[in-house]
Amino acid sequence: MGLHDKTVVITGAARGIGRACAVRAAEEGADVVLMDIAVDVPEIPYALGSADQLEQTAHLCRKNGAAVLVTTADVRSRSAVTSAVTAAVDRFGRIDALINNAGVGAPSGKAAHDVTEDEWQVMLDVNLSGPWHLITAVAPVMVAQRSGSIVNVASTAGLVGYRHFAGYVASKHGLVGLTKAAALDYAPLNIRVNALCPGPVRDDPAVDGQMTAVVADALGISYEEQEAVYLESVATSSLVDPADVAGAAMWLAGDDSLKVTGTVVPVDAGFSAR
Ligand SMILES: NC(=O)c1ccc[n+]([C@@H]2O[C@H](COP(=O)([O-])OP(=O)(O)OC[C@H]3O[C@@H](n4cnc5c(N)ncnc54)[C@H](O)[C@@H]3O)[C@@H](O)[C@H]2O)c1
């Protein structure tokens, strides 16, 4: 019950890593604010999390005893995010941790010069401006409390390049940079900011995971071929599970990591050790 009595905001909570983080936070005793766009948008070439999936996450959290606030907001919109955070503070009175997880993996699959202006912009808007919008809304709450932990879910694409993923790689490197700068801004105020860099994550049906399928589609190969490439790239004999990422996120969110800030933590089955 490491997060007992804490309020945790999780973006991109409808499925995947966001759902794994939300359920784990509930299991550890937190109340949770679940945020997702919960609707498809024309700029993204695959289905995003749905309202039903978001409700399923809420159901799993309630089953674990958490009080739950479900909010739909597009992280690209600073005003939508601010309204959702205001609703969270009205409901729970405080925010102890923010898991800045919402992100998109495509449009991708092209050399950098072939990426269109719109494709470039949507990647930066969701993956980099989105987390910054959340910080602008949540940090004032944490500053008033003089406590809080922000966990930015970046990627190993925030550490190294991936061929034909220029927008994604640039946005995740940017998020690592934002993490370090914000960590210095808020350290005197007892607010910590860290980045997690998940490596090759298995599409876990338990959380409706599908990012590896998205990556395979973008590269025009099958899921099995992509998984084989991933397995070749890791040091362990299996890929990362969303639950592995959630475990690391909870450690960074909670009080067991009180002196940890400005760090960039790979959860990548040894990928970055090579
Ligand atoms: N799965 C992986 O292989 C992997 C690896 C490294 C990093 N990551 C990162 O982990 C995070 C979660 O990935 P996932 O695999 O769970 O993906 P996912 O697509 O399964 O889930 C992402 C969630 O974010 C939501 N979302 C997307 N755009 C949004 C927006 N504009 N506003 C609000 N919500 C939005 C989606 O609706 C979806 O529910 C992402 O930031 C991703 O880049 C994933």
Side-chain angles (χ1 to χ4, degrees):
M1 299 294 274
L3 296 174
H4 183 60
D5 277 347
K6 293 193 186 293
T7 301
V8 181
V9 176
I10 301 121
T11 69
R15 68 176 187 213
I17 291 169
R19 180 186 289 172
C21 287
V23 174
R24 179 70 185 265
E27 285 169 356
E28 295 205 11
D31 294 327
V32 292
V33 179
L34 309 178
M35 195 185 298
D36 205 285
I37 191 169
V39 72
D40 291 344
V41 294
E43 300 92 322
I44 307 297
Y46 61 93
L48 295 180
S50 67
D52 283 351
Q53 287 176 316
L54 186 56
E55 194 39 55
Q56 172 65 6
T57 304
H59 167 71
L60 294 169
C61 292
R62 288 190 194 103
K63 239 174 66 175
N64 281 288
V68 178
L69 176 68
V70 175
T71 61
T72 49
D74 182 342
V75 298
R76 293 177 294 176
S77 161
R78 191 172 175 177
S79 61
V81 161
T82 302
S83 299
V85 168
T86 301
V89 174
D90 287 348
R91 169 80 184 270
F92 295 113
R94 55 184 297 113
I95 296 175
D96 298 290
L98 162 66
I99 314 291
N100 239 336
N101 165 77
V104 290
S108 293
K110 297 174 173 179
H113 72 279
D114 285 328
V115 176
T116 68
E117 191 81 29
D118 288 349
E119 289 168 341
W120 177 260
Q121 199 57 52
V122 74
M123 196 59 74
L124 291 182
D125 285 348
V126 179
N127 290 358
L128 182 54
S129 299
W132 173 66
H133 290 152
L134 264 297
I135 290 173
T136 65
V138 168
V141 180
M142 293 180 168
V143 167
Q145 295 167 177
R146 290 293 192 273
S147 72
S149 176
I150 296 171
V151 181
N152 293 324
V153 181
S155 166
T156 45
L159 304 172
V160 300
Y162 284 87
R163 190 164 180 263
H164 288 171
F165 277 84
Y168 186 74
V169 167
S171 67
K172 294 297 188 179
H173 274 68
L175 184 54
V176 167
L178 172 61
T179 300
K180 293 177 183 175
L184 296 179
D185 289 347
Y186 301 123
L189 300 164
N190 200 32
I191 297 157
R192 301 181 296 112
V193 190
N194 292 285
L196 273 185
C197 292
V201 177
R202 181 176 73 91
D203 281 356
D204 182 357
V207 292
D208 297 342
Q210 64 159 64
M211 189 61 98
T212 296
V214 166
V215 170
D217 272 357
L219 295 175
I221 60 177
S222 69
Y223 180 87
E224 289 70 26
E225 286 169 317
Q226 185 60 40
E227 201 171 68
V229 170
Y230 274 173
L231 274 170
E232 196 60 31
S233 75
V234 296
T236 59
S237 54
S238 59
L239 302 182
V240 176
D241 278 318
D244 300 321
V245 183
M250 294 310 112
W251 175 67
L252 288 172
D255 292 345
D256 283 344
S257 59
L258 274 183
K259 293 290 154 53
V260 181
T261 196
T263 67
V264 181
V265 181
V267 184
D268 66 356
F271 168 87
S272 55
R274 293 202 162 134

PDB file of all heavy atoms in Angstrom, residues 12 14-17 36-37 48-49 73-75 101-104 126 153-155 168 172 198-199 201 211, ligand 1:
ATOM      1  N   GLY A  12      -3.568   8.981 -20.607  1.00  0.00           N
ATOM      2  CA  GLY A  12      -3.539   7.808 -21.495  1.00  0.00           C
ATOM      3  C   GLY A  12      -3.938   6.560 -20.738  1.00  0.00           C
ATOM      4  O   GLY A  12      -3.381   5.478 -20.943  1.00  0.00           O
ATOM      5  N   ALA A  14      -6.738   4.789 -20.723  1.00  0.00           N
ATOM      6  CA  ALA A  14      -7.757   3.860 -21.236  1.00  0.00           C
ATOM      7  C   ALA A  14      -7.228   2.449 -21.429  1.00  0.00           C
ATOM      8  O   ALA A  14      -7.968   1.479 -21.291  1.00  0.00           O
ATOM      9  CB  ALA A  14      -8.329   4.391 -22.556  1.00  0.00           C
ATOM     10  N   ARG A  15      -5.941   2.344 -21.747  1.00  0.00           N
ATOM     11  CA  ARG A  15      -5.411   1.000 -22.047  1.00  0.00           C
ATOM     12  C   ARG A  15      -3.890   1.031 -21.923  1.00  0.00           C
ATOM     13  O   ARG A  15      -3.288   2.058 -21.585  1.00  0.00           O
ATOM     14  CB  ARG A  15      -5.826   0.575 -23.455  1.00  0.00           C
ATOM     15  CG  ARG A  15      -5.152   1.407 -24.517  1.00  0.00           C
ATOM     16  CD  ARG A  15      -5.474   0.952 -25.930  1.00  0.00           C
ATOM     17  NE  ARG A  15      -4.651   1.710 -26.863  1.00  0.00           N
ATOM     18  CZ  ARG A  15      -5.000   2.085 -28.073  1.00  0.00           C
ATOM     19  NH1 ARG A  15      -6.204   1.789 -28.526  1.00  0.00           N
ATOM     20  NH2 ARG A  15      -4.176   2.747 -28.850  1.00  0.00           N
ATOM     21  N   GLY A  16      -3.270  -0.106 -22.214  1.00  0.00           N
ATOM     22  CA  GLY A  16      -1.820  -0.182 -22.315  1.00  0.00           C
ATOM     23  C   GLY A  16      -1.126   0.155 -21.002  1.00  0.00           C
ATOM     24  O   GLY A  16      -1.584  -0.193 -19.907  1.00  0.00           O
ATOM     25  N   ILE A  17       0.005   0.827 -21.121  1.00  0.00           N
ATOM     26  CA  ILE A  17       0.827   1.156 -19.960  1.00  0.00           C
ATOM     27  C   ILE A  17       0.044   2.038 -18.987  1.00  0.00           C
ATOM     28  O   ILE A  17       0.164   1.901 -17.765  1.00  0.00           O
ATOM     29  CB  ILE A  17       2.138   1.838 -20.420  1.00  0.00           C
ATOM     30  CG1 ILE A  17       3.025   0.813 -21.152  1.00  0.00           C
ATOM     31  CG2 ILE A  17       2.879   2.458 -19.244  1.00  0.00           C
ATOM     32  CD1 ILE A  17       4.215   1.412 -21.876  1.00  0.00           C
ATOM     33  N   ASP A  36      -7.958  10.480 -20.531  1.00  0.00           N
ATOM     34  CA  ASP A  36      -7.680   9.957 -21.877  1.00  0.00           C
ATOM     35  C   ASP A  36      -8.478  10.779 -22.876  1.00  0.00           C
ATOM     36  O   ASP A  36      -9.508  11.350 -22.534  1.00  0.00           O
ATOM     37  CB  ASP A  36      -8.066   8.474 -21.981  1.00  0.00           C
ATOM     38  CG  ASP A  36      -7.270   7.747 -23.065  1.00  0.00           C
ATOM     39  OD1 ASP A  36      -7.556   7.947 -24.267  1.00  0.00           O
ATOM     40  OD2 ASP A  36      -6.344   6.979 -22.715  1.00  0.00           O
ATOM     41  N   ILE A  37      -8.020  10.782 -24.106  1.00  0.00           N
ATOM     42  CA  ILE A  37      -8.794  11.441 -25.162  1.00  0.00           C
ATOM     43  C   ILE A  37     -10.043  10.623 -25.470  1.00  0.00           C
ATOM     44  O   ILE A  37     -11.092  11.164 -25.802  1.00  0.00           O
ATOM     45  CB  ILE A  37      -7.912  11.672 -26.421  1.00  0.00           C
ATOM     46  CG1 ILE A  37      -8.599  12.578 -27.426  1.00  0.00           C
ATOM     47  CG2 ILE A  37      -7.491  10.354 -27.053  1.00  0.00           C
ATOM     48  CD1 ILE A  37      -7.698  13.061 -28.549  1.00  0.00           C
ATOM     49  N   LEU A  48      -7.341   5.013 -31.205  1.00  0.00           N
ATOM     50  CA  LEU A  48      -6.861   5.393 -29.861  1.00  0.00           C
ATOM     51  C   LEU A  48      -7.731   4.687 -28.828  1.00  0.00           C
ATOM     52  O   LEU A  48      -8.634   3.923 -29.157  1.00  0.00           O
ATOM     53  CB  LEU A  48      -6.906   6.912 -29.707  1.00  0.00           C
ATOM     54  CG  LEU A  48      -5.956   7.676 -30.651  1.00  0.00           C
ATOM     55  CD1 LEU A  48      -6.061   9.178 -30.451  1.00  0.00           C
ATOM     56  CD2 LEU A  48      -4.498   7.226 -30.451  1.00  0.00           C
ATOM     57  N   GLY A  49      -7.438   4.933 -27.553  1.00  0.00           N
ATOM     58  CA  GLY A  49      -8.237   4.342 -26.492  1.00  0.00           C
ATOM     59  C   GLY A  49      -9.687   4.805 -26.617  1.00  0.00           C
ATOM     60  O   GLY A  49      -9.956   5.937 -27.026  1.00  0.00           O
ATOM     61  N   ALA A  73      -9.917  14.253 -21.900  1.00  0.00           N
ATOM     62  CA  ALA A  73      -9.242  15.473 -22.338  1.00  0.00           C
ATOM     63  C   ALA A  73      -8.176  15.088 -23.353  1.00  0.00           C
ATOM     64  O   ALA A  73      -7.540  14.037 -23.237  1.00  0.00           O
ATOM     65  CB  ALA A  73      -8.594  16.183 -21.151  1.00  0.00           C
ATOM     66  N   ASP A  74      -8.025  15.956 -24.336  1.00  0.00           N
ATOM     67  CA  ASP A  74      -6.952  15.798 -25.323  1.00  0.00           C
ATOM     68  C   ASP A  74      -5.743  16.545 -24.758  1.00  0.00           C
ATOM     69  O   ASP A  74      -5.819  17.765 -24.534  1.00  0.00           O
ATOM     70  CB  ASP A  74      -7.423  16.417 -26.648  1.00  0.00           C
ATOM     71  CG  ASP A  74      -6.407  16.273 -27.769  1.00  0.00           C
ATOM     72  OD1 ASP A  74      -5.218  16.022 -27.492  1.00  0.00           O
ATOM     73  OD2 ASP A  74      -6.818  16.433 -28.939  1.00  0.00           O
ATOM     74  N   VAL A  75      -4.640  15.826 -24.522  1.00  0.00           N
ATOM     75  CA  VAL A  75      -3.490  16.488 -23.896  1.00  0.00           C
ATOM     76  C   VAL A  75      -2.898  17.584 -24.791  1.00  0.00           C
ATOM     77  O   VAL A  75      -2.096  18.392 -24.318  1.00  0.00           O
ATOM     78  CB  VAL A  75      -2.391  15.480 -23.475  1.00  0.00           C
ATOM     79  CG1 VAL A  75      -2.907  14.509 -22.434  1.00  0.00           C
ATOM     80  CG2 VAL A  75      -1.780  14.760 -24.680  1.00  0.00           C
ATOM     81  N   ASN A 101       1.672   9.877 -19.245  1.00  0.00           N
ATOM     82  CA  ASN A 101       1.865   8.667 -20.053  1.00  0.00           C
ATOM     83  C   ASN A 101       1.288   8.741 -21.471  1.00  0.00           C
ATOM     84  O   ASN A 101       1.763   8.048 -22.361  1.00  0.00           O
ATOM     85  CB  ASN A 101       1.240   7.482 -19.292  1.00  0.00           C
ATOM     86  CG  ASN A 101       1.045   6.264 -20.155  1.00  0.00           C
ATOM     87  OD1 ASN A 101       1.995   5.546 -20.445  1.00  0.00           O
ATOM     88  ND2 ASN A 101      -0.192   6.021 -20.598  1.00  0.00           N
ATOM     89  N   ALA A 102       0.264   9.572 -21.681  1.00  0.00           N
ATOM     90  CA  ALA A 102      -0.384   9.582 -23.004  1.00  0.00           C
ATOM     91  C   ALA A 102       0.655   9.853 -24.089  1.00  0.00           C
ATOM     92  O   ALA A 102       1.493  10.755 -23.961  1.00  0.00           O
ATOM     93  CB  ALA A 102      -1.476  10.647 -23.051  1.00  0.00           C
ATOM     94  N   GLY A 103       0.595   9.066 -25.145  1.00  0.00           N
ATOM     95  CA  GLY A 103       1.545   9.270 -26.240  1.00  0.00           C
ATOM     96  C   GLY A 103       1.088   8.498 -27.463  1.00  0.00           C
ATOM     97  O   GLY A 103       0.268   7.583 -27.363  1.00  0.00           O
ATOM     98  N   VAL A 104       1.636   8.862 -28.619  1.00  0.00           N
ATOM     99  CA  VAL A 104       1.300   8.157 -29.867  1.00  0.00           C
ATOM    100  C   VAL A 104       2.584   7.731 -30.576  1.00  0.00           C
ATOM    101  O   VAL A 104       3.615   8.404 -30.483  1.00  0.00           O
ATOM    102  CB  VAL A 104       0.438   9.040 -30.801  1.00  0.00           C
ATOM    103  CG1 VAL A 104      -0.970   9.225 -30.217  1.00  0.00           C
ATOM    104  CG2 VAL A 104       1.091  10.396 -31.069  1.00  0.00           C
ATOM    105  N   VAL A 126       1.330  15.852 -29.171  1.00  0.00           N
ATOM    106  CA  VAL A 126       0.868  14.853 -28.201  1.00  0.00           C
ATOM    107  C   VAL A 126       2.006  14.475 -27.241  1.00  0.00           C
ATOM    108  O   VAL A 126       1.844  14.486 -26.015  1.00  0.00           O
ATOM    109  CB  VAL A 126       0.337  13.581 -28.901  1.00  0.00           C
ATOM    110  CG1 VAL A 126      -0.104  12.548 -27.851  1.00  0.00           C
ATOM    111  CG2 VAL A 126      -0.823  13.907 -29.835  1.00  0.00           C
ATOM    112  N   VAL A 153       6.519   9.435 -19.009  1.00  0.00           N
ATOM    113  CA  VAL A 153       6.774   8.174 -19.708  1.00  0.00           C
ATOM    114  C   VAL A 153       7.342   8.525 -21.086  1.00  0.00           C
ATOM    115  O   VAL A 153       6.611   8.904 -21.999  1.00  0.00           O
ATOM    116  CB  VAL A 153       5.503   7.315 -19.809  1.00  0.00           C
ATOM    117  CG1 VAL A 153       5.823   6.006 -20.531  1.00  0.00           C
ATOM    118  CG2 VAL A 153       4.943   7.032 -18.411  1.00  0.00           C
ATOM    119  N   ALA A 154       8.667   8.428 -21.180  1.00  0.00           N
ATOM    120  CA  ALA A 154       9.351   8.696 -22.459  1.00  0.00           C
ATOM    121  C   ALA A 154       9.449   7.366 -23.201  1.00  0.00           C
ATOM    122  O   ALA A 154       8.444   6.696 -23.433  1.00  0.00           O
ATOM    123  CB  ALA A 154      10.703   9.342 -22.208  1.00  0.00           C
ATOM    124  N   SER A 155      10.678   6.938 -23.509  1.00  0.00           N
ATOM    125  CA  SER A 155      10.881   5.706 -24.299  1.00  0.00           C
ATOM    126  C   SER A 155      12.380   5.531 -24.464  1.00  0.00           C
ATOM    127  O   SER A 155      13.154   6.494 -24.306  1.00  0.00           O
ATOM    128  CB  SER A 155      10.221   5.896 -25.670  1.00  0.00           C
ATOM    129  OG  SER A 155      10.647   4.900 -26.581  1.00  0.00           O
ATOM    130  N   TYR A 168       8.827  10.693 -33.575  1.00  0.00           N
ATOM    131  CA  TYR A 168       8.686  10.031 -32.271  1.00  0.00           C
ATOM    132  C   TYR A 168       9.975  10.173 -31.460  1.00  0.00           C
ATOM    133  O   TYR A 168       9.939  10.563 -30.282  1.00  0.00           O
ATOM    134  CB  TYR A 168       8.348   8.554 -32.494  1.00  0.00           C
ATOM    135  CG  TYR A 168       8.027   7.787 -31.234  1.00  0.00           C
ATOM    136  CD1 TYR A 168       6.816   7.963 -30.576  1.00  0.00           C
ATOM    137  CD2 TYR A 168       8.934   6.884 -30.691  1.00  0.00           C
ATOM    138  CE1 TYR A 168       6.511   7.259 -29.416  1.00  0.00           C
ATOM    139  CE2 TYR A 168       8.645   6.177 -29.529  1.00  0.00           C
ATOM    140  CZ  TYR A 168       7.430   6.367 -28.899  1.00  0.00           C
ATOM    141  OH  TYR A 168       7.138   5.680 -27.744  1.00  0.00           O
ATOM    142  N   LYS A 172      10.405  12.248 -27.926  1.00  0.00           N
ATOM    143  CA  LYS A 172      10.785  11.578 -26.679  1.00  0.00           C
ATOM    144  C   LYS A 172      12.128  12.101 -26.152  1.00  0.00           C
ATOM    145  O   LYS A 172      12.320  12.195 -24.930  1.00  0.00           O
ATOM    146  CB  LYS A 172      10.821  10.057 -26.878  1.00  0.00           C
ATOM    147  CG  LYS A 172       9.435   9.444 -27.162  1.00  0.00           C
ATOM    148  CD  LYS A 172       8.455   9.627 -25.997  1.00  0.00           C
ATOM    149  CE  LYS A 172       7.169   8.849 -26.206  1.00  0.00           C
ATOM    150  NZ  LYS A 172       6.216   8.996 -25.088  1.00  0.00           N
ATOM    151  N   PRO A 198      10.588   3.118 -21.241  1.00  0.00           N
ATOM    152  CA  PRO A 198      10.281   1.726 -21.568  1.00  0.00           C
ATOM    153  C   PRO A 198      10.974   1.323 -22.864  1.00  0.00           C
ATOM    154  O   PRO A 198      11.074   2.115 -23.806  1.00  0.00           O
ATOM    155  CB  PRO A 198       8.758   1.721 -21.758  1.00  0.00           C
ATOM    156  CG  PRO A 198       8.272   2.983 -21.137  1.00  0.00           C
ATOM    157  CD  PRO A 198       9.386   3.971 -21.261  1.00  0.00           C
ATOM    158  N   GLY A 199      11.445   0.084 -22.877  1.00  0.00           N
ATOM    159  CA  GLY A 199      12.026  -0.461 -24.105  1.00  0.00           C
ATOM    160  C   GLY A 199      10.973  -1.291 -24.804  1.00  0.00           C
ATOM    161  O   GLY A 199       9.790  -1.045 -24.621  1.00  0.00           O
ATOM    162  N   VAL A 201       8.133  -3.217 -25.533  1.00  0.00           N
ATOM    163  CA  VAL A 201       7.047  -3.673 -24.661  1.00  0.00           C
ATOM    164  C   VAL A 201       6.151  -4.635 -25.440  1.00  0.00           C
ATOM    165  O   VAL A 201       5.747  -4.338 -26.567  1.00  0.00           O
ATOM    166  CB  VAL A 201       6.212  -2.476 -24.149  1.00  0.00           C
ATOM    167  CG1 VAL A 201       5.040  -2.951 -23.287  1.00  0.00           C
ATOM    168  CG2 VAL A 201       7.094  -1.505 -23.361  1.00  0.00           C
ATOM    169  N   MET A 211       0.779  -1.173 -28.961  1.00  0.00           N
ATOM    170  CA  MET A 211       1.789  -0.280 -29.532  1.00  0.00           C
ATOM    171  C   MET A 211       2.775  -1.017 -30.443  1.00  0.00           C
ATOM    172  O   MET A 211       3.220  -0.468 -31.450  1.00  0.00           O
ATOM    173  CB  MET A 211       2.531   0.448 -28.416  1.00  0.00           C
ATOM    174  CG  MET A 211       3.443   1.557 -28.872  1.00  0.00           C
ATOM    175  SD  MET A 211       2.585   2.879 -29.747  1.00  0.00           S
ATOM    176  CE  MET A 211       2.364   4.083 -28.442  1.00  0.00           C
TER     177      MET A 211
HETATM  178  N1  LIG B   1       4.252   0.079 -25.712  1.00  0.00           N
HETATM  179  C1  LIG B   1       5.497   0.369 -26.049  1.00  0.00           C
HETATM  180  O1  LIG B   1       6.172  -0.406 -26.752  1.00  0.00           O
HETATM  181  C2  LIG B   1       6.140   1.627 -25.549  1.00  0.00           C
HETATM  182  C3  LIG B   1       7.531   1.688 -25.501  1.00  0.00           C
HETATM  183  C4  LIG B   1       8.130   2.860 -25.068  1.00  0.00           C
HETATM  184  C5  LIG B   1       7.355   3.931 -24.676  1.00  0.00           C
HETATM  185  N2  LIG B   1       5.996   3.849 -24.732  1.00  0.00           N
HETATM  186  C6  LIG B   1       5.228   5.020 -24.323  1.00  0.00           C
HETATM  187  O2  LIG B   1       4.321   4.634 -23.315  1.00  0.00           O
HETATM  188  C7  LIG B   1       3.156   5.459 -23.386  1.00  0.00           C
HETATM  189  C8  LIG B   1       1.922   4.573 -23.432  1.00  0.00           C
HETATM  190  O3  LIG B   1       2.022   3.732 -24.568  1.00  0.00           O
HETATM  191  P1  LIG B   1       1.075   2.473 -24.782  1.00  0.00           P
HETATM  192  O4  LIG B   1       1.896   1.423 -25.419  1.00  0.00           O
HETATM  193  O5  LIG B   1       0.338   2.176 -23.571  1.00  0.00           O
HETATM  194  O6  LIG B   1       0.108   3.078 -25.939  1.00  0.00           O
HETATM  195  P2  LIG B   1      -1.470   2.908 -26.186  1.00  0.00           P
HETATM  196  O7  LIG B   1      -1.732   3.445 -27.552  1.00  0.00           O
HETATM  197  O8  LIG B   1      -1.910   1.527 -25.885  1.00  0.00           O
HETATM  198  O9  LIG B   1      -2.102   3.863 -25.072  1.00  0.00           O
HETATM  199  C9  LIG B   1      -1.937   5.244 -25.149  1.00  0.00           C
HETATM  200  C10 LIG B   1      -3.171   5.926 -24.590  1.00  0.00           C
HETATM  201  O10 LIG B   1      -2.970   7.341 -24.739  1.00  0.00           O
HETATM  202  C11 LIG B   1      -4.178   7.902 -25.209  1.00  0.00           C
HETATM  203  N3  LIG B   1      -3.902   9.129 -25.970  1.00  0.00           N
HETATM  204  C12 LIG B   1      -3.325   9.232 -27.178  1.00  0.00           C
HETATM  205  N4  LIG B   1      -3.330  10.498 -27.585  1.00  0.00           N
HETATM  206  C13 LIG B   1      -3.915  11.227 -26.601  1.00  0.00           C
HETATM  207  C14 LIG B   1      -4.211  12.604 -26.458  1.00  0.00           C
HETATM  208  N5  LIG B   1      -3.927  13.498 -27.424  1.00  0.00           N
HETATM  209  N6  LIG B   1      -4.793  13.015 -25.310  1.00  0.00           N
HETATM  210  C15 LIG B   1      -5.117  12.121 -24.335  1.00  0.00           C
HETATM  211  N7  LIG B   1      -4.877  10.804 -24.441  1.00  0.00           N
HETATM  212  C16 LIG B   1      -4.275  10.358 -25.569  1.00  0.00           C
HETATM  213  C17 LIG B   1      -4.788   6.841 -26.104  1.00  0.00           C
HETATM  214  O11 LIG B   1      -6.177   7.036 -26.286  1.00  0.00           O
HETATM  215  C18 LIG B   1      -4.450   5.563 -25.364  1.00  0.00           C
HETATM  216  O12 LIG B   1      -5.472   5.177 -24.471  1.00  0.00           O
HETATM  217  C19 LIG B   1       3.332   6.338 -24.623  1.00  0.00           C
HETATM  218  O13 LIG B   1       3.808   7.609 -24.236  1.00  0.00           O
HETATM  219  C20 LIG B   1       4.369   5.594 -25.425  1.00  0.00           C
HETATM  220  O14 LIG B   1       5.104   6.451 -26.275  1.00  0.00           O
HETATM  221  C21 LIG B   1       5.367   2.719 -25.155  1.00  0.00           C
END
